[in-house]
Structures are given as structure tokens and as C-alpha cells.
Amino acid sequence: MKGLIFEELNGGASCRTYLIACARTREAIIVDPVLELVPSYLQRLGRDRLQLLAAVDTHTHADHLSGGRELARMLGTLYVGAPMAAVERTLRDGEYMNVGDIHVKVWASPGHTADGLVLLLEDRVLTGDTLLIGASGRTDLPSGDPEAAYDSLERLLTLPSHMLVYPAHDYGGRTFSTMGHERVTNPRLRMDRAAFVELMSRPRADKPARLEEALAYNSRPGEALETPAPEEAQFLI
């Protein structure tokens, strides 16, 4: 995609953080940052003199502490996305973030969590925890909903096969997939609604190790913006 700077910033760890930037304007957003890695994100921004417009979370993370609030605080910028109580600005379905010449469309994508989002660019989609490579996000954690997850996956299936898929997690060292590959090989995308809901409703004994800590930290109230500042109005449309 011409003019796009796009990188995964966590070196292939299971939690994935993405940089989206415009090569012409040097404007950028960072998606799903991890708190402990904020210093490395600052170094990356500084290396190419990128201006961070916003830190974005695609959902309420239950397995790690989000770096979104801290990244925004340190750089005097916006923290947007999810969860509603914590961010300065929620992102609405159909809204766009303008990152220089790069336009990022927001889709509401509930299921893994009620506040889930996916972010669409011209040739790729950041699927958060809605769609994983070969799987989909679990729905047994707080605010999860198997029926909503099925509908969100069905919406993703309307995307063309060439669209690149970048999830917020991968536990097998894979970097990306495509919608065409997932459509053919992902077993959860081949299920009908009843089978999917039955599978995703089964109790699971395993829980994220930092579940309570992460939910408490990531959901603590922030200061919502009732009216957008002029800079925000240009960034979010």
C-alpha cells in the first residue's frame, strides 16, 4: 500500500502491537500497545520522527496491561477505542481515523468482548481478538457473547480474499494470514451458527494469568472528551 508504514512492534510475541503511519506526513497511530513496552514504542517513533496522533485499543484486554493511556499521556495525544470507561474517545462503527494519507475505517466487532473493534485499511484488516489465525477469540470472559461473535465473523467474511489479516494475538509465531486463507482453513469460519455458539459456550477452565489485574487496570475510568478538540475533529471523521 503506497505511503504506508506498517510494523508489528513486539518482535513476534503472542501479544501483537501495530504501528500505522503515513510516510509523507509522518503521522502515526499505535494499536493495542502493551504497558511494559511503551519505552520501545517511544524509541521507534523517535527513530523516524513520527508524530503519534493516538494510541488505540481494539478491546478491553484481559491478559496484559494496556499501554494506551500511558503512551498518550507521555506524548500529549489521544487515547481512543476501548474500553468506553477508560479512553478519552470511543470509536464508533463506520468512523474513520485519518493518519495522513492513510484512512483507517472502524467496525464495531463485539463477541470476544462487548466493546471489540476491527480496523480496516485498503489492503489489510487488524482483527483484534475477533478473528485469529486458524481460530477466533474466546467468548467466556467478561462481556463475551458467542452470538455476537458469530455475527462479527460473518461480517469479516464479506471482505475480499486478498485482504491481509493481522490479529492482536498469535500463539504459533505466525505474522499474518489472508481472508481467503481463513475462509478455507479456519474451522470456526466453516461452522453454522448453532455449532459455533455451542462450541464457544462451553466452559473453559483456563483463564489468563493476569485476568483480574488486567481488567481492573484497563477499565479504570479516564476522562472522556464531550466535544472534540480541533485537532481531533480533523483526525476522527
Side-chain angles (χ1 to χ4, degrees):
M1 183 175 169
K2 186 177 180 180
L4 172 67
I5 299 171
F6 184 84
E7 293 178 21
E8 196 287 306
L9 299 178
N10 298 345
S14 61
C15 291
R16 302 291 167 84
T17 297
Y18 297 100
L19 170 71
I20 298 172
C22 173
R24 182 182 66 84
T25 66
R26 319 310 288 175
E27 294 173 323
I29 61 174
I30 291 181
V31 181
D32 290 330
V34 176
L35 180 61
E36 292 84 352
L37 298 178
V38 165
S40 70
Y41 306 149
L42 296 176
Q43 290 178 355
R44 177 63 188 90
L45 293 168
R47 192 174 81 216
D48 280 355
R49 298 182 180 180
L50 300 175
Q51 175 194 358
L52 190 70
L53 298 178
V56 185
D57 269 324
T58 59
H59 60 285
T60 304
H61 299 284
D63 63 336
H64 67 270
L65 306 188
S66 168
R69 191 196 321 260
E70 184 65 8
L71 196 56
R73 183 191 68 79
M74 295 181 72
L75 294 178
T77 188
L78 292 170
Y79 175 36
V80 303
M84 184 181 298
V87 297
E88 295 172 288
R89 172 76 144 75
T90 56
L91 296 176
R92 296 179 286 270
D93 186 73
E95 196 164 32
Y96 282 86
M97 292 181 283
N98 291 324
V99 186
D101 302 326
I102 310 302
H103 306 299
V104 182
K105 188 174 184 178
V106 178
W107 275 3
S109 191
H112 173 66
T113 59
D115 56 12
L117 305 168
V118 300
L119 306 178
L120 293 96
L121 287 75
E122 181 180 319
D123 65 348
R124 66 198 66 199
V125 56
L126 278 61
T127 55
D129 275 13
T130 298
L131 175 63
L132 307 178
I133 298 175
S136 61
R138 62 192 294 176
T139 59
D140 62 317
L141 300 177
S143 84
D145 182 337
E147 293 274 2
Y150 184 85
D151 291 335
S152 293
L153 291 170
E154 286 290 294
R155 189 180 188 185
L156 285 173
L157 283 171
T158 66
L159 295 173
S161 293
H162 69 265
M163 288 285 281
L164 303 172
V165 172
Y166 290 91
H169 292 279
D170 188 76
Y171 304 98
R174 297 159 294 191
T175 55
F176 70 95
S177 183
T178 66
M179 283 306 306
H181 184 75
E182 294 304 305
R183 188 176 284 113
V184 171
T185 64
N186 191 323
R188 292 186 185 172
L189 297 183
R190 298 165 66 88
M191 294 179 175
D192 63 23
R193 179 184 294 272
F196 179 87
V197 170
E198 191 279 328
L199 173 68
M200 302 305 290
S201 298
R202 293 175 189 171
R204 291 180 56 171
D206 61 310
K207 301 292 182 185
R210 304 179 72 180
L211 176 64
E212 294 183 2
E213 177 192 13
L215 291 178
Y217 180 86
N218 295 337
S219 301
R220 65 189 176 121
E223 295 183 3
L225 299 179
E226 294 183 2
T227 56
E231 295 82 1
E232 182 194 357
Q234 296 169 13
F235 168 56
L236 294 165
I237 62 171

